[in-house]
């Protein structure tokens, strides 16, 4: 019996030298990394033997205290490198070299299979399919369900006996489960309360993850025989059977609903999307459904319960949160909206502190697929290394957090957040494998907390820091979330609010007096300037605010405001926005002089509100910086370079057509939402020079696409509404919070692109230095110029992206909408397209466009009616004479492009859609300067040729394959003016397939 053991040991020790020789590079690179001494064969396995379960986290904490932010652990032949340096954590988690889950996740696959949570070859595709169900647009649709179920929770809490302690988690998890079922899973309210096996599984989800975590951290349980003989395998199998029963019922209900054809694409749940994709097997759908179901309902319940428990233990913060809720939403049972949540700053601080104190994932693990250098080049992680990121320990590191073991929401006050590195707080991980449900969970959790706090007062005994923690993948309170409640009274608070209002009115009166005195002094100082201003007619201006009240309107009303000024005061008129003089010029010849003059080569003062987001560069800047940046970027917008983008344009439009084919012909939808995806991918692969795979890995891409229109609305609001131009006032608005969040998104978005391009530029230099100039994107040129700071690079990266993708998508959508409104024009254009392209689905070239004069006429007519820049503003740097007077230095020129393009002096039936205006005969008869869709002079539109090609490409191929209709008429079209012109009701169209031969 002894000889087989001796033989086996001899074999193992004989293999050891061979293994060391085979992995000599791994051993050499790891040698410089500090860590405990490893034994042959077993490495540091004995440390794990005596530190199982939760003690494993204590072991990791001890290792960091001993060895610093970087240490290695050998588990047999497996090298684990633990990293706690925040900057390197960001580098690693956002790198495409570390894009697979670690080996510990293999243990979870027996229960929930390979996919989004556990990794493997399918996770990226599976995640991409369901991502639309987690974006902001989709989550807004879920608000009604969140509020309905939150009211149920509030009623449950009101029924609790006052002063009696209970575990709130059990009530909360029932509610979060219902929310997930009625949103992500897509069930009706009745169906969600009648799912086979769900009640059994809700409370056992924690037990399942605890079982898996124990197996991860207790090495001998990873031996199949030991796992089986201890009875744990039988327990796991029982869970798997319950999971299968639950997910089977989900699939059955959703397949029945999908067959009925009553499911709107925007509101499709995860199960619907997996079924509709046709890319997953039945078992894969079950696995992913269970993964996303349990991670959503269980994690949301834990965090909600933690927030409620923290408020119970922190009465001062509970009072702050409650007062804030009443101020923003009211004390009644009003629904909570996304806009409300943006103003609940105290609640957000408690929410973030809960995420810090109780990490959703205590540790995360990744596999290194390519060598990557960290710690300023000191260490290189070899291929095959297992990377361990200790989130729980990072969130409690005293170097970054004052008294980290205490619950202190004030850590997340803006002034405290600025003092910390943003990388020390990563509750949802980072990079391509970050938490998919973060956008979904936050409004759900906060809505539940608002309803609870609004209805009951929370109380708890003892000190929250004394509560014992328990780790099972995530961190939770070991003995539950125990608190007491009692119904709330609001009378006292109403009196306090009244006092606040009285004080506020007193302060406002004092402020008005001070500003009136300042205004009087300003008038005396600028007497000459005001005399020159009075040579132009305009409405009577009020002290201090000028004509600002006239512009306190919605974007759709601004069209009428400008039109009235032009009709009453003529082609040169003035208005005041506070102390800023604006002169509207609607004379084409004067506009050409002004826009082409060096005396007007500075953007107007209102552009500074755009610069807050985009910086002072190509789109919103002026002067030396603008000129330098534009010169660097210009080569990528030339005709030859844009011609080289033709293949990418065709490939992306082909994918767009595939998506459009799946939309039922009777379904009316907003086509902009489809097209903007295509234009975004085109811009990323051309101007930004990313590969298709790299585009899919850009952080926050979809959220940025969704948020961009809202951000431009915020910028335009500040441009025209005087009170929003006062920073302290703007800081108190929801728009400021939106913009702040947007800037954070685009910063991370741009940094990822910049880092990617820096790596790729080095590869290009190494492989083919002679042809580098032809391979450069705009960002590449900025980087190589070495003339931009990091901040300028970040701003210009996003400027290039948004100014191209959003404008082209909007113009393209307008073209298709006009074709839907005007079937005769559509038929004429379709005949021209088929004449040139034929009856085969093929790529479209620039030579094709040259033979399509009617397409060009349609395109120009759309730009006439819906210009990219509805109004332009320039600062007059020196006095300049025009036909109607002299514009004084320091005033602002306003060019009303939208109204010039619809001026009846130059256009017959100016509001009608008539492409024939741009036939050669009519064009020659018309004043040439009354049509300036891309502006004029040195500050004209840099991307006009790029945009024209992309718009025509999309429109030709869509109209070649589909007849476009709409249930509405052109007379129904209502527009608003913001940065560009937009329809109030979107771009609603229906697509009817035409007969077309496949590409041969």
């Amino acid at each position: 019996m002894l000889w087989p053991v001796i033989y086996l040991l001899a074999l193992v020790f004989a293999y050891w030298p061979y293994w060391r020789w085979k992995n000599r590079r791994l051993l050499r690179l790891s040698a410089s990394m500090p860590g405990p001494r490893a034994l042959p064969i077993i490495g540091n396995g004995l440390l794990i033997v005596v530190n199982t379960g939760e003690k494993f986290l204590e072991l990791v904490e001890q290792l960091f205290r001993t060895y610093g932010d970087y240490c290695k652990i050998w588990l047999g032949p497996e090298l684990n490198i633990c990293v706690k340096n925040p900057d390197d954590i960001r580098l690693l988690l956002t790198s495409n070299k570390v894009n697979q889950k670690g080996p510990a996740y293999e243990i979870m696959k027996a229960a929930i299979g390979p996919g989004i949570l556990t990794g493997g070859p399918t996770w990226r595709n599976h995640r991409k399919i369901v991502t639309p169900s987690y974006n902001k647009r989709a989550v807004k649709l879920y608000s009604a369900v969140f509020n309905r179920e939150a009211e149920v929770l509030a009623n449950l809490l009101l029924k609790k006996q006052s002063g009696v302690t209970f575990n709130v988690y059990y009530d909360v998890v029932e509610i979060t489960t219902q929310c997930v079922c009625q949103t992500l899973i897509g069930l009706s309210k009745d169906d969600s309360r009648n799912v086979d096996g769900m009640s059994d599984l809700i409370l056992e989800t924690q037990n399942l993850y605890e079982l898996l975590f124990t197996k991860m951290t207790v090495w001998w349980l990873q031996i199949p025989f030991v796992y089986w003989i201890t009875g744990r395998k039988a327990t796991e199998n029982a869970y798997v059977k319950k999971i299968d029963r639950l997910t089977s019922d989900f699939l059955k209900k959703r397949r029945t609903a999908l067959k009925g054809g009553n499911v709107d694409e925007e509101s499709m749940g995860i199960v619907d999307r997996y079924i509709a994709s046709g890319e997953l097997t039945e078992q894969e759908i079950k696995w992913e459904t269970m993964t996303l179901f349990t991670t959503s309902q269980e994690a949301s319940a834990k965090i909600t319960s933690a927030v409620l428990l923290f408020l119970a233990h922190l009465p001062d913060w509970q009072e702050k949160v409650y007062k804030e809720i009443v101020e923003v939403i009211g004390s009644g049972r009003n629904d909570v909206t996304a806009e409300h949540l943006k103003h609940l700053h105290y609640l957000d601080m408690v929410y973030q502190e809960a995420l810090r104190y109780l990490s959703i994932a205590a540790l995360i693990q990744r596999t290194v697929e390519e060598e990557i250098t960290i710690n300023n080049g000191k260490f290189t992680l070899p291929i095959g290394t297992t990377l361990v990121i200790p989130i729980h320990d990072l969130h409690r590191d005293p170097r970054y957090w004052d008294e980290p073991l205490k619950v202190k929401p004030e850590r997340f006050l803006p002034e405290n957040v600025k003092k910390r590195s943003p990388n020390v707080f990563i509750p949802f991980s980072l990079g391509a494998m970050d938490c998919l449900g973060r956008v979904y969970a936050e409004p759900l959790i906060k809505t539940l907390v608002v309803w609870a706090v609004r209805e009951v007062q929370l109380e708890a005994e003892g000190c929250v820091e004394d509560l014992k923690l328990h780790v099972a993948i995530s961190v939770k309170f070991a003995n539950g979330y125990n608190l007491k409640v009692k119904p709330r009274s609001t009378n006292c608070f109403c009196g306090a609010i009244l006092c606040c209002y009285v004080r506020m009115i007193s302060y406002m009166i004092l402020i008005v007096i001070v500003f009136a005195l300042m205004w009087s002094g300003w008038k005396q100082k600028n007497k000459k300037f005001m005399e020159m201003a009075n040579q132009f007619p305009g409405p009577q201006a009020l002290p201090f605010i000028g004509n600002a009240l006239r512009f306190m309107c919605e974007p759709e009303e601004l069209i009428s405001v400008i039109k009235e000024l032009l009709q009453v005061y003529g082609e040169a008129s003035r208005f005041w926005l506070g102390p800023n003089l604006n002169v509207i010029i609607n004379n084409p010849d004067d506009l050409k002089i002004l826009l082409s003059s060096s005396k007007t080569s500075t953007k107007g003062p209102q552009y500074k509100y755009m610069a807050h987001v985009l910086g002072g560069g190509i789109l919103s800047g002026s002067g030396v910086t603008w000129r330098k940046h534009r010169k660097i970027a210009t080569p990528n917008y030339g005709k030859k370079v844009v011609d080289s983008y033709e293949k990418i344009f065709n490939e992306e439009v082909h994918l767009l057509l595939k998506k459009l084919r799946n939309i039922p012909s009777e379904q009316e939808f907003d086509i902009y939402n489809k097209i903007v995806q295509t234009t975004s991918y085109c811009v990323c692969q051309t101007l930004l020079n990313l590969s298709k795979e790299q585009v899919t890995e850009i952080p926050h891409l979809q959220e940025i696409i969704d948020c961009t229109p809202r951000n431009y609305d915020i910028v335009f609001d500040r441009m025209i509404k005087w009170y929003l131009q006062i920073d302290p006032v703007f800081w108190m608005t929801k728009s400021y919070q939106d913009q702040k969040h947007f800037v954070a998104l685009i910063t991370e978005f741009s940094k990822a692109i910049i880092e990617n391009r820096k790596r790729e530029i080095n590869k290009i230099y190494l492989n083919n230095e002679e042809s580098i100039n032809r391979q450069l994107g705009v960002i590449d040129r900025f980087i190589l110029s070495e003339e931009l700071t990091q901040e300028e690079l970040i701003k210009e990266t996003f400027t290039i992206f948004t100014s191209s993708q959003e404008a082209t998508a909007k113009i393209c959508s307008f073209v298709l909408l006009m074709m839907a409104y005007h079937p005769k024009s559509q038929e004429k254009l379709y005949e021209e397209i088929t004449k040139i392209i034929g009856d085969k689905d093929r790529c479209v070239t620039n030579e094709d466009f040259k033979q399509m004069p009617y397409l060009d006429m349609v395109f120009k007519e759309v730009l006439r009616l819906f210009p990219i820049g509805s109004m332009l503003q320039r600062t007059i740097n020196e006095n300049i004479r025009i036909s109607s007077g002299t514009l004084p230095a320091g005033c602002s020129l306003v060019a009303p492009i939208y109204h010039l393009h619809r001026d009846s002096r130059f256009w017959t039936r100016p509001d009608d859609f008539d492409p024939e205006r741009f036939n050669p005969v009519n064009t020659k008869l018309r004043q040439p300067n009354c049509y300036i869709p891309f502006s004029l002079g040195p500050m004209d539109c840099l991307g006009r040729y790029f945009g024209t090609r992309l718009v025509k490409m999309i429109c030709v191929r869509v109209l070649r394959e589909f007849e476009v209709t709409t249930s509405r008429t052109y007379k129904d079209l209502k527009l608003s003016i913001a940065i560009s012109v937009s329809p109030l009701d979107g771009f609603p169209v229906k697509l009817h397939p035409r007969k077309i031969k496949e590409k041969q």
Side-chain angles (χ1 to χ4, degrees), residues 12 145 192 248 342 384 386 420 580 612 749 880 886:
V12 169
V145 173
S192 69
S248 295
K342 292 170 186 174
T386 297
R420 278 193 307 270
N580 296 322
H612 290 166
F749 166 89
I880 185 168
T886 300

Side-chain angles (χ1 to χ4, degrees), residues 143-422:
S143 180
V145 173
F146 292 170
N147 278 283
R148 184 172 65 231
E149 294 301 322
E151 187 171 12
V152 174
L153 175 63
N155 291 335
L156 287 172
L157 296 179
L158 284 170
K159 293 176 183 178
K160 300 290 183 182
Q161 186 175 347
S162 295
V164 176
T165 300
F166 65 99
N167 187 348
V168 75
Y169 174 83
Y170 296 119
D171 295 299
V172 172
V173 75
E174 291 282 351
I175 300 302
T176 58
T177 301
Q178 288 302 316
C179 288
V180 171
C181 285
Q182 295 173 51
T183 55
L184 297 178
I185 305 301
L187 302 181
S188 67
K189 185 173 182 179
D190 290 338
D191 281 347
S192 69
R193 299 186 185 279
N194 188 32
V195 176
D196 186 22
M198 187 162 70
S199 58
D200 293 335
L201 198 61
I202 289 175
L203 298 179
E204 292 185 6
T205 300
Q206 291 189 79
N207 299 334
L208 170 61
Y209 284 118
E210 184 146 354
L211 177 68
L212 295 174
F213 184 73
T214 303
K215 188 177 179 182
M216 287 179 183
T217 55
V218 181
W219 69 270
W220 60 78
L221 290 179
Q222 297 173 26
I223 302 170
F225 177 75
V226 175
Y227 192 58
W228 172 77
I229 202 169
T230 57
R232 287 179 169 84
K233 181 61 177 175
T235 304
E236 181 184 297
N237 288 340
Y239 286 140
V240 170
K241 286 181 180 179
K242 290 178 181 179
I243 291 169
D244 187 74
R245 196 173 82 189
L246 177 75
T247 52
S248 295
D249 199 29
F250 282 158
L251 264 63
K252 180 181 177 182
K253 286 179 167 62
R254 294 317 303 154
R255 281 202 167 96
T256 302
L258 289 171
K259 286 179 182 178
N262 297 321
V263 180
D264 177 57
E265 185 181 358
E266 282 195 2
S267 60
M268 287 177 76
I270 56 174
V271 182
D272 300 346
R273 293 186 187 278
Y274 280 138
I275 293 171
S277 73
E279 297 182 29
L280 281 75
T281 65
E282 182 83 359
Q283 186 58 57
E284 285 177 327
I285 296 177
K286 288 182 179 181
W287 280 333
E288 293 293 23
T289 300
M290 180 58 191
T291 296
L292 297 174
F293 170 73
T294 56
T295 53
S296 299
Q297 56 93 358
E298 193 254 1
S300 298
K302 279 183 182 176
I303 301 167
T304 304
S305 302
V307 173
L308 294 174
L309 186 61
F310 284 0
L311 292 174
H313 279 279
L314 302 170
D316 290 344
W317 273 89
Q318 183 178 175
E319 189 63 16
K320 288 179 183 179
V321 170
Y322 173 67
K323 288 181 178 180
E324 187 178 58
I325 289 169
V326 175
E327 288 175 8
V328 174
I329 308 172
S331 58
R333 291 200 161 197
N334 305 319
D335 276 0
V336 182
T337 68
E339 298 304 317
H340 290 147
L341 295 177
K342 292 170 186 174
H343 293 289
L344 300 179
H345 309 304
Y346 287 126
L347 174 58
D348 187 63
M349 291 181 220
V350 181
Y351 168 73
Q352 293 191 72
E353 178 67 352
L355 290 173
R356 183 197 71 85
Y357 199 84
L358 301 166
S359 303
I360 300 169
L363 295 168
I364 57 176
Q365 199 185 59
R366 299 286 185 267
T367 297
V368 178
E369 297 180 296
E370 294 181 43
E371 288 184 2
I372 185 167
T373 302
I374 58 173
N375 194 17
N376 297 318
K378 186 175 181 181
F379 302 130
T380 298
L381 275 59
I383 296 171
T385 302
T386 297
L387 170 68
V388 179
I389 306 294
I391 294 181
H392 179 68
D393 200 40
L394 177 66
H395 286 179
R396 290 164 173 258
D397 193 317
R399 294 176 299 172
Y400 314 119
W401 308 94
D402 177 45
E403 297 181 297
L405 301 183
K406 288 190 175 182
V407 176
K408 297 172 66 175
E410 59 268 27
R411 303 179 198 280
F412 293 94
L413 284 165
E415 58 269 28
N416 292 332
V417 172
K418 287 179 182 178
K419 297 175 185 176
R420 278 193 307 270
S421 164

Side-chain angles (χ1 to χ4, degrees), residues 7-69:
Y7 179 76
L8 180 62
L9 290 173
L11 189 63
V12 169
F13 279 99
Y15 178 74
W16 179 244
Y18 169 73
W19 182 89
R20 289 182 60 84
W21 177 83
K22 183 180 178 182
N23 294 278
R24 58 192 181 280
R25 180 167 177 78
L26 181 142
L27 291 167
R28 181 171 61 81
L29 292 175
S30 66
S32 61
M33 183 80 69
R37 184 175 181 81
L39 296 173
I41 309 297
I42 63 172
N44 305 113
L46 293 178
L47 284 174
I48 308 303
V49 170
V50 296
N51 291 281
T52 59
E54 291 173 27
K55 290 183 179 179
F56 180 73
L57 290 182
E58 296 174 10
L59 168 65
V60 172
E61 185 179 350
Q62 179 61 42
L63 288 172
F64 282 122
R65 280 201 297 267
T66 305
Y67 299 104
D69 283 345

Side-chain angles (χ1 to χ4, degrees), residues 643-675:
D643 286 345
S644 70
Y645 300 155
E646 194 171 88
K647 181 181 177 183
I648 292 172
F649 287 175
N650 272 293
E651 288 173 351
E652 288 303 320
V653 176
H654 180 72
L655 294 175
L656 169 66
L657 294 175
K658 287 178 68 176
K659 295 177 183 177
L660 296 180
R661 289 173 195 139
N662 293 327
I663 300 174
S665 58
E666 68 278 2
Q667 179 181 328
E668 192 165 70
F669 68 101
D670 190 336
I671 199 166
Y672 173 84
N673 296 329
K674 303 295 181 186
I675 291 175

Side-chain angles (χ1 to χ4, degrees), residues 761-793:
I761 287 170
N762 290 334
K763 291 181 184 178
I764 294 172
Y765 265 119
L766 290 172
N767 296 331
N768 193 2
E769 188 170 352
E770 293 181 1
S771 62
I772 185 171
N773 195 54
R774 295 196 302 274
Q775 300 178 49
L776 294 177
V778 181
I779 310 307
D780 303 342
R781 296 182 189 278
F782 284 145
I783 294 169
L784 290 171
S785 74
E786 298 183 346
E787 295 188 31
L788 280 75
T789 65
Q790 177 70 4
E791 182 64 24
E792 287 174 332
L793 259 178

Side-chain angles (χ1 to χ4, degrees), residues 66 74 88 135 397 430 452 506 508 541 609 742 750 768 853 881 915:
T66 305
W74 287 94
D88 278 334
N135 64 31
D397 193 317
L430 293 168
S506 301
M508 288 180 66
Y609 304 111
F742 187 74
S750 300
N768 193 2
R881 179 74 186 172

Side-chain angles (χ1 to χ4, degrees), residues 682-697:
C682 286
V683 170
C684 287
Q685 293 175 74
T686 55
L687 299 177
L688 303 186
N689 206 14
L690 301 173
S691 68
K692 183 64 175 282
E693 184 179 4
Q694 289 166 348
V695 175
T696 62
E697 294 172 354

